[in-house]
Amino acid sequence: EPEVTQTPSHQVTQMGQEVILRCVPISNHLYFYWYRQILGQKVEFLVSFYNNEISEKSEIFDDQFSVERPDGSNFTLKIRSTKLEDSAMYFCASSDWQGLLSGELFFGEGSRLTVL
Amino acid sequence: GIQVEQSPPDLILQEGANSTLRCNFSDSVNNLQWFHQNPWGQLINLFYIPSGTKQNGRLSATTVATERYSLLYISSSQTTDSGVYFCAVDTGFQKLVFGTGTRLLVSP
C-alpha cells in the first residue's frame, strides 16, 4: 500500500541551528502538507503546497519556516533558526484533491524534533 | 475559524466493551477524517467520512453533516485500540483542523 515516508524519525538540534525535515509523498498525489504536534497537544496545520507553491499557511508558519519540492519526489520543511518552542512532532501529509471535495489526507509517521 | 470539539476527553474501558466517541464541529465541512494516534505517535487513518456511514471491522463511523457531528463506534475493544482518537475537518481551504482528541485506555 502506498505510504508517505519521512526522515529523520528523530532529530536533536541546538537552538539556532537550521533543520531540514524530508518527506516523500504518495507518488500520484498533488497536494502536500506539513502539520506539527507539540507534545500532549492537538495536531496543528502549518502549510499546504500545490503546483510548486504555497497555497495556504497558518500563523505558525512564519519567516523561519520554508517548504520546497526540490525534485519530483521529495518535499521538505526547513526551519532556519530553531527555537526551543519548535520542539514537536512534525507530520508530512499528501492528498489527491477531488474537485469540490477535499481528498483524504495520508500522514507520514512523523519526525520528532527536539531543540536543546 | 471552525471549532472542533471531541468528547469524552478521556475514556477507560475493559477489554471487550463498546464505546462511542463524538466529534462536533461548528461549520459546514468538505472533509472529515478520523485518526488513531498510537503510542508511538503515528497517525493512522481510520475513516474518510464527510457524510454517511462506513464500517471497517470492529470500527464504524457516522457523519451527520447537516447537524454538524460525527460519531466513531468501537465494538469489542482490544488493548491495541488504546491511544488517542482525533477527528479532523476541512472547510474547503485545504487544511484539516483537528479536534483535541479522545484518549482511550483499554485494560485487559
Side-chain angles (χ1 to χ4, degrees):
Chain A
E1 184 176 321
E3 59 180 15
V4 177
T5 58
Q6 290 185 238
T7 55
S9 55
H10 189 193
Q11 182 158 355
V12 180
T13 191
Q14 294 290 324
M15 193 169 54
Q17 294 297 303
E18 176 182 283
V19 162
I20 297 176
L21 305 178
R22 291 182 169 81
C23 169
V24 178
I26 294 173
S27 61
N28 62 338
H29 285 183
L30 300 177
Y31 293 82
F32 315 115
Y33 312 83
W34 285 100
Y35 288 76
R36 81 170 186 190
Q37 184 182 33
I38 294 170
L39 188 63
Q41 299 186 20
K42 64 180 180 179
V43 180
E44 301 173 288
F45 169 80
L46 289 179
V47 65
S48 60
F49 190 87
Y50 169 71
N51 200 25
N52 280 320
E53 60 183 28
I54 291 173
S55 49
E56 188 83 18
K57 61 181 181 178
S58 71
E59 295 174 351
I60 304 167
F61 194 88
D62 61 22
D63 292 343
Q64 292 297 314
F65 292 90
S66 63
V67 289
E68 192 177 34
R69 188 158 162 82
D71 53 43
S73 58
N74 290 287
F75 179 51
T76 62
L77 174 69
K78 181 191 292 186
I79 308 174
R80 222 177 312 278
S81 177
T82 49
K83 298 176 275 202
L84 294 176
E85 53 264 38
D86 293 328
S87 294
M89 179 80 96
Y90 288 82
F91 292 101
C92 174
S94 69
S95 75
D96 179 16
W97 187 259
Q98 297 181 7
L100 293 178
L101 280 180
S102 304
E104 183 174 5
L105 269 70
F106 293 87
F107 284 76
E109 295 184 347
S111 293
R112 184 170 298 284
L113 176 64
T114 302
V115 182
L116 303 176
Chain B
I2 191 169
Q3 304 297 311
V4 184
E5 296 183 358
Q6 292 186 242
S7 59
D10 295 280
L11 187 58
I12 300 175
L13 298 175
Q14 285 280 328
E15 201 168 24
N18 303 328
S19 62
T20 301
L21 281 57
R22 187 177 179 102
C23 172
N24 291 331
F25 42 95
S26 60
D27 204 347
S28 301
V29 299
N30 279 2
N31 175 14
L32 188 146
Q33 293 185 236
W34 283 98
F35 297 92
H36 174 215
Q37 187 165 41
N38 65 22
W40 296 270
Q42 298 168 352
L43 285 170
I44 311 298
N45 285 41
L46 296 177
F47 294 101
Y48 167 67
I49 187 167
S51 63
T53 297
K54 290 186 178 179
Q55 178 153 10
N56 185 4
R58 296 181 296 104
L59 302 182
S60 64
T62 295
T63 297
V64 184
T66 52
E67 296 187 22
R68 300 181 182 169
Y69 72 89
S70 183
L71 302 174
L72 178 69
Y73 306 95
I74 305 174
S75 64
S76 305
S77 57
Q78 300 175 357
T79 55
T80 51
D81 295 331
S82 296
V84 183
Y85 289 81
F86 289 104
C87 74
V89 302
D90 178 3
T91 57
F93 294 100
Q94 300 177 49
K95 60 181 182 184
L96 285 181
V97 176
F98 280 72
T100 49
T102 292
R103 187 174 302 275
L104 174 65
L105 176 63
V106 181
S107 57

PDB file of all heavy atoms in Angstrom, chain B residues 1 26 37 107:
ATOM      1  N   GLY B   1     -12.441  30.942  13.034  1.00  0.00           N
ATOM      2  CA  GLY B   1     -12.334  29.689  12.307  1.00  0.00           C
ATOM      3  C   GLY B   1     -13.221  28.615  12.906  1.00  0.00           C
ATOM      4  O   GLY B   1     -13.850  28.809  13.952  1.00  0.00           O
ATOM      5  N   SER B  26     -18.371  23.276  14.137  1.00  0.00           N
ATOM      6  CA  SER B  26     -19.189  24.481  14.190  1.00  0.00           C
ATOM      7  C   SER B  26     -19.579  25.047  12.820  1.00  0.00           C
ATOM      8  O   SER B  26     -20.290  26.048  12.755  1.00  0.00           O
ATOM      9  CB  SER B  26     -18.451  25.577  14.974  1.00  0.00           C
ATOM     10  OG  SER B  26     -17.221  25.891  14.346  1.00  0.00           O
ATOM     11  N   GLN B  37      -4.111   7.825  16.899  1.00  0.00           N
ATOM     12  CA  GLN B  37      -2.692   8.055  17.153  1.00  0.00           C
ATOM     13  C   GLN B  37      -2.221   7.008  18.144  1.00  0.00           C
ATOM     14  O   GLN B  37      -2.668   6.976  19.298  1.00  0.00           O
ATOM     15  CB  GLN B  37      -2.427   9.453  17.685  1.00  0.00           C
ATOM     16  CG  GLN B  37      -0.927   9.758  17.794  1.00  0.00           C
ATOM     17  CD  GLN B  37      -0.634  11.234  17.978  1.00  0.00           C
ATOM     18  OE1 GLN B  37      -1.316  11.931  18.705  1.00  0.00           O
ATOM     19  NE2 GLN B  37       0.416  11.709  17.317  1.00  0.00           N
ATOM     20  N   SER B 107      -8.140  -1.672  29.116  1.00  0.00           N
ATOM     21  CA  SER B 107      -7.382  -2.526  30.037  1.00  0.00           C
ATOM     22  C   SER B 107      -7.805  -3.984  29.860  1.00  0.00           C
ATOM     23  O   SER B 107      -8.958  -4.263  29.535  1.00  0.00           O
ATOM     24  CB  SER B 107      -7.603  -2.080  31.474  1.00  0.00           C
ATOM     25  OG  SER B 107      -8.977  -2.088  31.783  1.00  0.00           O
TER      26      SER B 107
END
